[in-house]
């Protein structure tokens, strides 16, 4: 997975979020979603944002050793 892909997915989820809030039905990753699926769309966006943020954090996923 690349940073570009993560950003593309975030953009897609934001577009889906806005469309659903406008009362439209959208398709994300092959699944048709409507207003009842808004929590899943938000969760998907947050997951991709977490993945993107992992690129910019030093030692992503690793803690520092303490002696």
């Amino acid at each position: 997975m690349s940073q570009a892909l993560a950003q593309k997915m975030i953009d897609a989820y934001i577009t889906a979020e806005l469309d659903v809030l406008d009362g439209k039905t959208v398709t994300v990753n092959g699944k048709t979603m409507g207003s009842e699926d808004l929590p899943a769309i938000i969760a998907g966006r947050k997951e991709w944002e977490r993945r993107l943020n992992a690129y910019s954090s030093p030692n992503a996923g690793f803690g520092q050793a303490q002696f």
Side-chain angles (χ1 to χ4, degrees), residues 1 5 8-9 18-19 21-22 30 32-33 39 52 54 56 62:
M1 182 187 75
L5 173 62
K8 183 177 177 181
M9 292 302 296
L18 294 172
D19 286 347
L21 289 171
D22 282 340
T32 302
M33 301 178 149
L52 183 61
S56 61
F62 298 99

Side-chain angles (χ1 to χ4, degrees), residues 3 7-8 16 52 57-58 65:
Q3 286 178 299
Q7 187 59 57
K8 183 177 177 181
L52 183 61
S57 64

Side-chain angles (χ1 to χ4, degrees), residues 25-66:
T25 301
V26 297
T27 302
V28 177
N29 291 334
K31 182 179 177 188
T32 302
M33 301 178 149
S35 60
E36 66 278 0
D37 300 303
L38 188 58
I41 294 170
I42 292 170
R45 175 182 49 81
K46 287 182 178 182
E47 172 61 20
W48 281 103
E49 287 172 341
R50 184 194 62 77
R51 292 181 187 189
L52 183 61
N53 288 335
Y55 279 105
S56 61
S57 64
N59 303 325
F62 298 99
Q64 291 189 326
Q66 296 182 8

